[in-house]
Amino acid sequence: TGLEFLGAVTVLQIASFPVPSTSQDTTYSLSGDYAAVSITIPAGAWPANTPGPTLTVFDQSALTTRRRQSTTSIVAGAGVNFEPEGVSFNSPVSISLPFDTTADYGDRVLVVHKLVNTGNGSSWEQRPYTESADPAIDTTAGVVRADTPSFSAYAVLAVPPPPAATATTPVPDTTPPPGPSASPEEPGVPPWVLVLAILAPVLGLGGWAYGFNEYHKRKEAKERHHSP
């Protein structure tokens, strides 16, 4: 089954299918309890001279024991092994994997992961999904969808959500705006100019009054001189 590196596994369902069409998209699905498990192969994606796919559903206990799952990530459903093992496609194929719809995953996100045999262990590789008419997570059918360029064992993991983007609040600029440029200080007015400005009207008015009185005195003297 290609799962020997996992040790003993419990096979829940297995099915083999013919070579997919080269002229149109081909979808293969399982039956019974795992009818929602499927693979869609685009036209021309299947490599030549390669036998048709085989889908094997196996109990998740083999994954949880092998993975020693942490408190942050949880294996959410049975694993599915896609064969022929190691086959790569000319363009990505779409797969649908089961998850337990009765479990409480908290705020975790359900994502398909590829189980990679590293030789001395195994690791998980998250697989993306290109949104189409079908959503990535189908809670009614109990499956999560993903795209993959090659065959291997896959399972749905409930993982912590990505960190939320932190909103950046700009720090207000408290630097006061520059004031008007100081103009050169004008020289002060000499004190004697101020005194003159104050006394000038008074002196002028006094001179005029003095001249006016003198004029009348002379006129009166002349009139008295010509009187009989």
Side-chain angles (χ1 to χ4, degrees):
T1 61
L3 299 174
E4 290 76 15
F5 73 99
L6 288 176
V9 298
T10 301
V11 175
L12 303 175
Q13 189 173 143
I14 184 170
S16 295
F17 302 94
V19 174
S21 172
T22 58
S23 59
Q24 61 183 5
D25 295 353
T26 304
T27 298
Y28 296 127
S29 302
L30 298 182
S31 59
D33 293 339
Y34 299 99
V37 176
S38 66
I39 178 173
T40 299
I41 304 162
W46 195 259
N49 304 318
T50 303
T54 296
L55 277 62
T56 303
V57 182
F58 60 96
D59 188 74
Q60 70 188 70
S61 60
L63 298 173
T64 56
T65 301
R66 181 75 175 184
R67 186 171 188 274
R68 297 177 183 177
Q69 62 183 357
S70 66
T71 56
T72 57
S73 298
I74 301 173
V75 177
V80 180
N81 191 42
F82 294 85
E83 297 177 282
E85 182 181 6
V87 67
S88 297
F89 308 107
N90 299 323
S91 59
V93 302
S94 177
I95 57 177
S96 298
L97 272 68
F99 71 93
D100 184 358
T101 58
T102 64
D104 181 7
Y105 303 110
D107 63 348
R108 296 179 181 88
V109 180
L110 298 173
V111 183
V112 171
H113 284 69
K114 176 181 179 180
L115 183 62
V116 180
N117 182 8
T118 61
N120 58 355
S122 58
S123 63
W124 291 103
E125 178 184 292
Q126 184 171 318
R127 298 306 311 157
Y129 178 66
T130 303
E131 290 285 352
S132 61
D134 298 317
I137 301 174
D138 188 336
T139 55
T140 302
V143 296
V144 180
R145 299 180 176 89
D147 298 326
T148 182
S150 61
F151 272 169
S152 182
Y154 293 82
V156 175
L157 268 61
V159 300
T166 303
T168 302
T169 304
V171 178
D173 185 4
T174 57
T175 304
S181 300
S183 57
E185 185 178 352
E186 297 182 358
V189 180
W192 64 267
V193 175
L194 294 176
V195 174
L196 183 60
I198 295 172
L199 296 180
V202 178
L203 294 175
L205 180 59
W208 178 84
Y210 174 80
F212 183 76
N213 289 333
E214 288 297 316
Y215 168 77
H216 277 280
K217 288 179 180 179
R218 292 176 183 177
K219 184 178 180 183
E220 290 175 357
K222 183 182 288 188
E223 288 175 352
R224 284 196 301 269
H225 176 73
H226 289 287
S227 297

